[in-house]
Each structure stands twice: as structure tokens, then as C-alpha cells.
Amino acid sequence: MADVIEAGAVRENAPPPAAPTRRRGATERGNRATPYLFLAPYLILFGVFGLAPILFGLWISLHQWDLQLPNRPFTGLGNYRDLFSSESAIYGDWWSSVRATGIFTLFSVPLLVVIPLGLALLLNRSFPGRTFFRAAFFAPYVLGVAVIGLLWRFLLDANLGLVNRLLGVAGLPSDTPWVTDVPWAWVSLVGVTVWWTCGFNAVIYLAGLQDIPAELYEAAKVDGAGAWDRFRHVTIPGLRPVMLFVFTTTILASANVFGQAFLITQGAPGEQTRTVVWRIVDEGLRDYDAGRAAAMSVFFALMLAVVSVVNFRLFRYRED
């Protein structure tokens, strides 16, 4: 009887049988592969439509890639040197387009950061018709650039446009060259762009405002903070990640402006409102020089990447 009890105790204290090593290893490999299987569709699409065109564009920029000629000799960094050589045929036009893009970005970005913030602060309050005004400010953004460009081209026409006609009725100058002379051409491009896109940034700000806890505002009121103090010490810190997103995307969008200038001012006066993207399109599709157009695109992309990195560093420094 004692032998039976002792044998039972031994069986109870014995470790459970180990699972087969092969099955455990296959399960672990399957678990490690699962995330990559979910990522595979995106990685394939990114590789085909994102990474491959980038690499191909870099390859083209290193060649004299004339679309009308069968031979495309390798030139190395020759296309990039042409962007900085005053003796190059494209030097003047290229830097003129960079200047035009810089002017537009310099004046449009502050307005597209500040005005939508003010709209969001107003639309975040409770008042009758708030939903209507939210939709009204966002509505222009759903229109395409072709619609916006053609619409404002007619409205801003110096002779037949409704804007000059209304100014004349109000007793103001009615012959302002909104689309044919500077600085009015820049006023038109920046004003139309702000009217068109500020609703999108306002919606982004509005979403950020609704994520700020109401308890922070209540605590600030209890401490005696006024409206301006609450804005500085509660609203701005709470919106800092949203402001980083808005500021960065607005810079990138403004730097890539093309449709407004192409349709509203048509580059006038002369080519003073011809932007970088327009210059790249002309070089590649009108002059059939894909090599130089690719070099312009790569260099411009590097410029925007540097601006974005600096922007992120500045915002991170403020957070620290």
C-alpha cells in the first residue's frame, strides 16, 4: 500500500510533458511573421508607387534624359551643377521660380496658421448656427483647384471682374490689376489660397481644441487667469502637436503651389509668379528635358526636407 502511495506522489510531482519542439518553433515563427503579413499590402504598394519612382527619378537626374532622343548619356551631377551655374541656360529661370515660391510661402503660411486658429476658437464656442458656420468655412476646401482658379480668374479680371466692379460702386479704385501686376498678383494668389484652404486647418485646430481637458480651463479660472492667460498657458501648450502638424503641412502645400498661379495669374507679370513646380513641369513636359526636371525635383525635395526637420527641431526644443 505504501508503494502505491509513493508511486502516486511521484507521478503528481512529475513535470508536465514538454510540447514538441518542432510545433513550438513553428508557432513562434508564425507569430513573428504575422505583423509582416499585415504590412505586406502597404509595403508592396509603397514600393511600387513610392520607392520605385523615387529611385527612378534619382537615376533620371543623373542623365541627359531628353524625351525626344533615343540616347540618354550619363552626366553624373551635371544637371545639379546647372542649377547653380550662372552660365547655365536654366539658372535664371530656376532661381526666379524659387524666389516666387518663397514669396508665396512667406506670406501665405502665417495667414494659414493664424487665421484658422482664430476661426477654430470662435467655432469652438456655443452659439446658434455654429454647425452651419463650421460647414460654410470648410465648404471651399472641397472644390478642386481648377474650379477655384477659373472662378477667381473671372472675378479678379481688371476689366470685367466683379471685384473691381464692386470696388467702383463703393467709391474705390475700380481698375486694380489683380492678376497682371505686382504686388496685386501676389495679393490675389495669397488671398484666394487663404480663402480656399483655411477651413481645413480650422477643422484640424477645432479637433485639437476639443481634446484639451475642460478641467484645465476651470483650474486656470480658479487661479484667477484671464482669457489671454488661459490662451497662452492652456490652449497653446495643448495645441502644440496640432500646430506642428498644421505648420509643417501648410509649408509643404504652399511650397508646392501650382494650380492657382497657372490658372489665376498665368505667371504674370512676365514670369514673376511662375513657381518651382510650374518650372519643373515646363522643363520636363514642354522642353522634354526630364533629366534637368528630375534634378530640380530632387533638389527641391531636399530643400523641403531640411525645412521640415528644422521645424520639428524648433517645436521639440520648445517642448523641452
Side-chain angles (χ1 to χ4, degrees):
M1 184 65 179
D3 294 339
V4 174
I5 294 175
E6 183 177 355
V10 171
R11 285 196 299 271
E12 289 178 359
N13 295 329
T21 305
R22 182 177 302 175
R23 182 177 299 175
R24 183 187 304 159
T27 302
E28 291 178 354
R29 287 194 297 270
N31 292 336
R32 288 196 298 267
T34 299
Y36 297 100
L37 292 177
F38 281 102
L39 289 172
Y42 168 78
L43 293 176
I44 293 172
L45 291 175
F46 174 75
V48 173
F49 297 104
L51 185 60
I54 292 174
L55 296 178
F56 188 54
L58 289 171
W59 176 253
I60 291 176
S61 70
L62 302 176
H63 293 74
Q64 186 180 344
W65 201 285
D66 193 320
L67 298 176
Q68 295 179 311
L69 299 177
N71 296 326
R72 291 151 185 177
F74 181 80
T75 60
L77 298 178
N79 290 324
Y80 294 94
R81 285 195 296 268
D82 289 342
L83 301 179
F84 298 93
S85 175
S86 58
E87 299 178 355
S88 171
I90 64 172
Y91 176 82
D93 292 337
W94 163 249
W95 288 107
S96 175
S97 66
V98 171
R99 177 178 178 274
T101 302
I103 291 173
F104 178 82
T105 303
L106 179 64
F107 287 101
S108 63
V109 170
L111 296 176
L112 286 171
V113 171
V114 175
I115 293 178
L117 177 58
L119 289 176
L121 291 172
L122 291 175
L123 296 175
N124 195 42
R125 297 174 177 270
S126 297
F127 59 90
R130 182 179 64 174
T131 303
F132 168 78
F133 285 104
R134 286 180 177 180
F137 282 114
F138 184 77
Y141 186 76
V142 304
L143 300 176
V145 66
V147 177
I148 296 298
L150 293 175
L151 172 66
W152 282 99
R153 174 70 186 183
F154 287 110
L155 291 176
L156 295 171
D157 186 88
N159 299 317
L160 304 175
L162 181 62
V163 174
N164 273 346
R165 184 171 299 181
L166 293 177
L167 291 176
V169 172
L172 299 174
S174 60
D175 57 349
T176 304
W178 294 107
V179 297
T180 57
D181 197 8
V182 291
W184 305 112
W186 290 119
V187 173
S188 300
L189 288 177
V190 172
V192 169
T193 303
V194 170
W195 171 82
W196 178 33
T197 60
C198 72
F200 175 78
N201 287 350
V203 169
I204 301 299
Y205 278 130
L206 189 60
L209 288 172
Q210 294 175 353
D211 285 338
I212 299 176
E215 293 81 4
L216 296 179
Y217 290 102
E218 294 175 359
K221 287 182 180 179
V222 171
D223 290 339
W228 174 246
D229 291 328
R230 294 197 299 271
F231 176 75
R232 285 194 307 152
H233 299 294
V234 179
T235 303
I236 294 299
L239 285 179
R240 188 164 292 160
V242 176
M243 294 182 69
L244 173 62
F245 172 80
V246 170
F247 193 58
T248 303
T249 56
T250 302
I251 289 176
L252 297 178
S254 297
N256 284 278
V257 62
F258 169 66
Q260 301 96 296
F262 184 78
L263 294 170
I264 297 175
T265 65
Q266 299 177 356
E271 295 187 355
Q272 292 190 46
T273 57
R274 190 179 291 254
T275 59
V276 166
V277 175
W278 191 343
R279 180 67 238 166
I280 293 172
V281 171
D282 277 352
E283 191 70 27
L285 301 181
R286 187 190 66 180
D287 300 335
Y288 303 107
D289 195 337
R292 283 178 171 175
M296 292 177 181
S297 301
V298 172
F299 179 70
F300 188 54
L302 292 176
M303 291 173 59
L304 295 182
V306 170
V307 172
S308 299
V309 170
V310 171
N311 187 27
F312 274 89
R313 289 292 181 89
L314 290 176
F315 272 84
R316 186 171 64 180
Y317 171 79
R318 291 178 181 180
E319 288 179 352
D320 294 340

